[in-house]
Short mmCIF file of all heavy atoms in Angstrom, two decimals:
data_model
loop_
_atom_site.label_atom_id
_atom_site.label_comp_id
_atom_site.label_asym_id
_atom_site.label_seq_id
_atom_site.Cartn_x
_atom_site.Cartn_y
_atom_site.Cartn_z
N LYS A 58 -57.78 27.30 99.91
CA LYS A 58 -59.11 27.74 100.36
C LYS A 58 -59.96 26.59 100.89
O LYS A 58 -60.54 26.70 101.96
CB LYS A 58 -59.87 28.40 99.20
CG LYS A 58 -59.36 29.75 98.79
CD LYS A 58 -60.19 30.27 97.63
CE LYS A 58 -59.66 31.57 97.10
NZ LYS A 58 -60.42 32.02 95.92
N SER A 59 -60.03 25.52 100.12
CA SER A 59 -60.96 24.44 100.47
C SER A 59 -60.39 23.43 101.45
O SER A 59 -61.13 22.80 102.19
CB SER A 59 -61.43 23.71 99.21
OG SER A 59 -60.36 23.05 98.58
N LYS A 60 -59.09 23.25 101.46
CA LYS A 60 -58.43 22.29 102.35
C LYS A 60 -57.19 22.93 102.96
O LYS A 60 -56.06 22.52 102.69
CB LYS A 60 -58.01 21.03 101.59
CG LYS A 60 -59.14 20.24 100.97
CD LYS A 60 -59.83 19.43 102.02
CE LYS A 60 -60.87 18.53 101.34
NZ LYS A 60 -61.65 17.80 102.28
N PRO A 61 -57.37 23.96 103.81
CA PRO A 61 -56.19 24.66 104.34
C PRO A 61 -55.25 23.77 105.15
O PRO A 61 -54.07 24.08 105.27
CB PRO A 61 -56.79 25.78 105.21
CG PRO A 61 -58.21 25.42 105.42
CD PRO A 61 -58.61 24.50 104.31
N ALA A 62 -55.76 22.68 105.68
CA ALA A 62 -54.89 21.77 106.44
C ALA A 62 -53.99 20.96 105.53
O ALA A 62 -52.97 20.43 105.96
CB ALA A 62 -55.73 20.84 107.30
N LEU A 63 -54.34 20.87 104.25
CA LEU A 63 -53.55 20.12 103.27
C LEU A 63 -52.46 21.04 102.73
O LEU A 63 -52.73 21.98 101.99
CB LEU A 63 -54.46 19.62 102.14
CG LEU A 63 -53.82 18.76 101.06
CD1 LEU A 63 -53.33 17.44 101.64
CD2 LEU A 63 -54.81 18.51 99.94
N LYS A 64 -51.24 20.79 103.11
CA LYS A 64 -50.11 21.64 102.71
C LYS A 64 -49.47 21.06 101.45
O LYS A 64 -48.97 19.93 101.46
CB LYS A 64 -49.07 21.73 103.82
CG LYS A 64 -49.61 22.28 105.12
CD LYS A 64 -50.07 23.70 104.96
CE LYS A 64 -50.57 24.24 106.27
NZ LYS A 64 -51.47 25.35 106.13
N VAL A 65 -49.49 21.86 100.39
CA VAL A 65 -48.99 21.40 99.09
C VAL A 65 -47.81 22.28 98.68
O VAL A 65 -47.91 23.51 98.69
CB VAL A 65 -50.10 21.46 98.03
CG1 VAL A 65 -49.57 21.09 96.66
CG2 VAL A 65 -51.26 20.55 98.42
N ALA A 66 -46.72 21.66 98.31
CA ALA A 66 -45.54 22.36 97.81
C ALA A 66 -45.66 22.46 96.30
O ALA A 66 -45.72 21.44 95.61
CB ALA A 66 -44.27 21.62 98.19
N ARG A 67 -45.71 23.67 95.78
CA ARG A 67 -45.74 23.88 94.34
C ARG A 67 -44.29 24.13 93.92
O ARG A 67 -43.67 25.12 94.30
CB ARG A 67 -46.59 25.09 94.02
CG ARG A 67 -47.10 25.21 92.57
CD ARG A 67 -46.18 25.74 91.57
NE ARG A 67 -46.64 25.75 90.22
CZ ARG A 67 -47.40 26.68 89.66
NH1 ARG A 67 -47.89 27.64 90.36
NH2 ARG A 67 -47.65 26.63 88.37
N VAL A 68 -43.72 23.23 93.15
CA VAL A 68 -42.31 23.29 92.76
C VAL A 68 -42.23 23.48 91.24
O VAL A 68 -42.57 22.57 90.49
CB VAL A 68 -41.58 21.98 93.16
CG1 VAL A 68 -40.12 22.04 92.75
CG2 VAL A 68 -41.74 21.70 94.65
N HIS A 69 -41.83 24.67 90.83
CA HIS A 69 -41.62 24.93 89.41
C HIS A 69 -40.16 24.59 89.12
O HIS A 69 -39.24 25.29 89.59
CB HIS A 69 -41.92 26.38 89.07
CG HIS A 69 -41.93 26.64 87.60
ND1 HIS A 69 -40.76 26.83 86.89
CD2 HIS A 69 -42.93 26.71 86.71
CE1 HIS A 69 -41.06 27.02 85.62
NE2 HIS A 69 -42.37 26.95 85.48
N LEU A 70 -39.93 23.51 88.40
CA LEU A 70 -38.59 22.96 88.25
C LEU A 70 -37.61 23.93 87.62
O LEU A 70 -36.47 24.05 88.07
CB LEU A 70 -38.65 21.65 87.45
CG LEU A 70 -37.38 20.83 87.42
CD1 LEU A 70 -36.85 20.51 88.81
CD2 LEU A 70 -37.64 19.53 86.65
N PHE A 71 -38.02 24.65 86.60
CA PHE A 71 -37.10 25.59 85.98
C PHE A 71 -36.70 26.69 86.97
O PHE A 71 -35.54 27.07 87.06
CB PHE A 71 -37.68 26.20 84.70
CG PHE A 71 -36.71 27.12 84.02
CD1 PHE A 71 -35.63 26.61 83.32
CD2 PHE A 71 -36.86 28.49 84.10
CE1 PHE A 71 -34.72 27.46 82.70
CE2 PHE A 71 -35.96 29.34 83.48
CZ PHE A 71 -34.89 28.82 82.78
N GLN A 72 -37.68 27.18 87.74
CA GLN A 72 -37.37 28.21 88.73
C GLN A 72 -36.42 27.68 89.80
O GLN A 72 -35.55 28.41 90.29
CB GLN A 72 -38.65 28.76 89.37
CG GLN A 72 -38.40 29.96 90.26
CD GLN A 72 -37.78 31.13 89.50
OE1 GLN A 72 -38.29 31.55 88.47
NE2 GLN A 72 -36.67 31.66 90.00
N VAL A 73 -36.55 26.41 90.14
CA VAL A 73 -35.62 25.79 91.09
C VAL A 73 -34.20 25.87 90.54
O VAL A 73 -33.26 26.24 91.27
CB VAL A 73 -36.02 24.33 91.39
CG1 VAL A 73 -34.88 23.55 92.04
CG2 VAL A 73 -37.26 24.28 92.27
N LEU A 74 -34.02 25.56 89.27
CA LEU A 74 -32.69 25.62 88.67
C LEU A 74 -32.13 27.03 88.68
O LEU A 74 -30.96 27.25 89.01
CB LEU A 74 -32.73 25.07 87.24
CG LEU A 74 -33.20 23.62 87.08
CD1 LEU A 74 -33.20 23.22 85.61
CD2 LEU A 74 -32.39 22.66 87.91
N VAL A 75 -32.97 28.00 88.35
CA VAL A 75 -32.55 29.41 88.39
C VAL A 75 -32.16 29.79 89.81
O VAL A 75 -31.11 30.41 90.03
CB VAL A 75 -33.66 30.34 87.84
CG1 VAL A 75 -33.33 31.80 88.11
CG2 VAL A 75 -33.87 30.09 86.35
N ASP A 76 -32.99 29.43 90.78
CA ASP A 76 -32.70 29.76 92.18
C ASP A 76 -31.39 29.13 92.64
O ASP A 76 -30.61 29.77 93.36
CB ASP A 76 -33.84 29.28 93.10
CG ASP A 76 -35.12 30.07 92.90
OD1 ASP A 76 -35.11 31.13 92.23
OD2 ASP A 76 -36.17 29.60 93.41
N MET A 77 -31.14 27.90 92.22
CA MET A 77 -29.89 27.24 92.59
C MET A 77 -28.68 27.99 92.02
O MET A 77 -27.67 28.18 92.71
CB MET A 77 -29.88 25.78 92.11
CG MET A 77 -30.84 24.89 92.88
SD MET A 77 -30.90 23.21 92.22
CE MET A 77 -29.25 22.62 92.65
N LEU A 78 -28.79 28.42 90.77
CA LEU A 78 -27.69 29.17 90.15
C LEU A 78 -27.51 30.52 90.82
O LEU A 78 -26.38 30.95 91.07
CB LEU A 78 -27.95 29.34 88.65
CG LEU A 78 -27.87 28.06 87.81
CD1 LEU A 78 -28.29 28.35 86.38
CD2 LEU A 78 -26.49 27.45 87.87
N GLU A 79 -28.61 31.19 91.12
CA GLU A 79 -28.52 32.49 91.78
C GLU A 79 -27.92 32.36 93.17
O GLU A 79 -27.12 33.22 93.59
CB GLU A 79 -29.90 33.16 91.84
CG GLU A 79 -30.34 33.68 90.50
CD GLU A 79 -31.71 34.30 90.52
OE1 GLU A 79 -32.51 34.05 91.45
OE2 GLU A 79 -32.00 35.07 89.57
N GLU A 80 -28.28 31.32 93.89
CA GLU A 80 -27.74 31.10 95.23
C GLU A 80 -26.22 30.98 95.22
O GLU A 80 -25.55 31.34 96.17
CB GLU A 80 -28.37 29.82 95.81
CG GLU A 80 -28.73 29.91 97.25
CD GLU A 80 -29.44 28.67 97.73
OE1 GLU A 80 -28.80 27.59 97.77
OE2 GLU A 80 -30.62 28.78 98.07
N ARG A 81 -25.70 30.43 94.13
CA ARG A 81 -24.25 30.24 94.01
C ARG A 81 -23.59 31.36 93.21
O ARG A 81 -22.44 31.24 92.81
CB ARG A 81 -23.98 28.89 93.33
CG ARG A 81 -24.48 27.72 94.17
CD ARG A 81 -24.17 26.42 93.54
NE ARG A 81 -22.71 26.25 93.47
CZ ARG A 81 -22.12 25.22 92.89
NH1 ARG A 81 -22.85 24.27 92.35
NH2 ARG A 81 -20.82 25.13 92.86
N ASN A 82 -24.36 32.43 92.96
CA ASN A 82 -23.86 33.56 92.17
C ASN A 82 -23.35 33.12 90.80
O ASN A 82 -22.34 33.63 90.30
CB ASN A 82 -22.76 34.33 92.92
CG ASN A 82 -23.30 34.98 94.17
OD1 ASN A 82 -24.39 35.55 94.16
ND2 ASN A 82 -22.57 34.85 95.26
N PHE A 83 -24.05 32.17 90.19
CA PHE A 83 -23.62 31.64 88.90
C PHE A 83 -24.61 31.97 87.78
O PHE A 83 -24.31 31.77 86.62
CB PHE A 83 -23.44 30.12 89.01
CG PHE A 83 -22.76 29.50 87.82
CD1 PHE A 83 -21.48 29.88 87.44
CD2 PHE A 83 -23.41 28.54 87.05
CE1 PHE A 83 -20.86 29.32 86.33
CE2 PHE A 83 -22.81 27.98 85.94
CZ PHE A 83 -21.53 28.37 85.58
N TYR A 84 -25.76 32.52 88.11
CA TYR A 84 -26.77 32.76 87.09
C TYR A 84 -26.29 33.73 86.01
O TYR A 84 -26.36 33.44 84.82
CB TYR A 84 -28.08 33.26 87.72
CG TYR A 84 -29.16 33.50 86.70
CD1 TYR A 84 -29.87 32.43 86.17
CD2 TYR A 84 -29.44 34.78 86.23
CE1 TYR A 84 -30.84 32.63 85.21
CE2 TYR A 84 -30.41 34.99 85.27
CZ TYR A 84 -31.11 33.92 84.76
OH TYR A 84 -32.06 34.11 83.81
N ASP A 85 -25.80 34.89 86.43
CA ASP A 85 -25.33 35.88 85.45
C ASP A 85 -24.17 35.33 84.63
O ASP A 85 -24.08 35.57 83.42
CB ASP A 85 -24.93 37.19 86.14
CG ASP A 85 -26.14 37.92 86.71
OD1 ASP A 85 -27.25 37.76 86.16
OD2 ASP A 85 -25.97 38.66 87.71
N LYS A 86 -23.29 34.57 85.27
CA LYS A 86 -22.17 33.96 84.55
C LYS A 86 -22.70 32.95 83.52
O LYS A 86 -22.16 32.85 82.42
CB LYS A 86 -21.23 33.26 85.53
CG LYS A 86 -20.50 34.20 86.45
CD LYS A 86 -19.69 33.43 87.49
CE LYS A 86 -19.13 34.38 88.53
NZ LYS A 86 -18.51 33.68 89.65
N ALA A 87 -23.75 32.21 83.89
CA ALA A 87 -24.33 31.22 82.98
C ALA A 87 -24.93 31.91 81.76
O ALA A 87 -24.75 31.44 80.62
CB ALA A 87 -25.37 30.39 83.70
N VAL A 88 -25.62 33.01 81.97
CA VAL A 88 -26.21 33.75 80.85
C VAL A 88 -25.11 34.25 79.92
O VAL A 88 -25.22 34.13 78.69
CB VAL A 88 -27.08 34.92 81.37
CG1 VAL A 88 -27.51 35.84 80.24
CG2 VAL A 88 -28.30 34.38 82.12
N LYS A 89 -24.04 34.79 80.50
CA LYS A 89 -22.92 35.29 79.68
C LYS A 89 -22.22 34.15 78.94
O LYS A 89 -21.84 34.29 77.77
CB LYS A 89 -21.92 36.04 80.56
CG LYS A 89 -22.45 37.37 81.04
CD LYS A 89 -21.49 38.05 81.99
CE LYS A 89 -22.10 39.32 82.54
NZ LYS A 89 -21.31 39.93 83.58
N LEU A 90 -22.07 33.00 79.61
CA LEU A 90 -21.44 31.85 78.96
C LEU A 90 -22.26 31.38 77.77
O LEU A 90 -21.71 31.10 76.71
CB LEU A 90 -21.26 30.71 79.97
CG LEU A 90 -20.70 29.40 79.41
CD1 LEU A 90 -19.28 29.61 78.89
CD2 LEU A 90 -20.73 28.32 80.48
N GLN A 91 -23.58 31.33 77.94
CA GLN A 91 -24.41 30.89 76.82
C GLN A 91 -24.31 31.87 75.66
O GLN A 91 -24.21 31.46 74.51
CB GLN A 91 -25.87 30.73 77.24
CG GLN A 91 -26.73 30.23 76.09
CD GLN A 91 -28.17 30.01 76.47
OE1 GLN A 91 -28.67 30.59 77.41
NE2 GLN A 91 -28.83 29.16 75.71
N ALA A 92 -24.31 33.16 75.95
CA ALA A 92 -24.20 34.17 74.89
C ALA A 92 -22.86 34.08 74.17
O ALA A 92 -22.79 34.22 72.95
CB ALA A 92 -24.40 35.57 75.47
N ALA A 93 -21.81 33.80 74.93
CA ALA A 93 -20.47 33.78 74.34
C ALA A 93 -20.14 32.46 73.65
O ALA A 93 -19.54 32.45 72.58
CB ALA A 93 -19.42 34.07 75.42
N LYS A 94 -20.52 31.34 74.26
CA LYS A 94 -20.08 30.05 73.75
C LYS A 94 -21.20 29.10 73.33
O LYS A 94 -20.94 28.01 72.84
CB LYS A 94 -19.20 29.35 74.79
CG LYS A 94 -17.91 30.12 75.05
CD LYS A 94 -16.95 29.34 75.89
CE LYS A 94 -15.66 30.11 76.07
NZ LYS A 94 -14.68 29.37 76.83
N GLY A 95 -22.45 29.48 73.59
CA GLY A 95 -23.57 28.67 73.14
C GLY A 95 -24.12 27.72 74.19
O GLY A 95 -23.55 27.54 75.27
N GLY A 96 -25.23 27.11 73.82
CA GLY A 96 -25.96 26.22 74.73
C GLY A 96 -25.21 24.96 75.12
O GLY A 96 -25.29 24.52 76.28
#
Side-chain angles (χ1 to χ4, degrees):
K58 288 179 185 176
S59 65
K60 298 282 186 185
L63 183 65
K64 302 296 182 202
V65 176
R67 198 280 175 84
V68 180
H69 189 279
L70 190 55
F71 183 74
Q72 188 60 52
V73 164
L74 301 180
V75 170
D76 291 348
M77 289 176 68
L78 291 174
E79 286 178 341
E80 221 175 66
R81 296 183 64 184
N82 295 317
F83 191 60
Y84 181 78
D85 291 332
K86 293 174 189 172
V88 171
K89 289 176 185 172
L90 176 63
Q91 182 178 23
K94 296 189 177 183

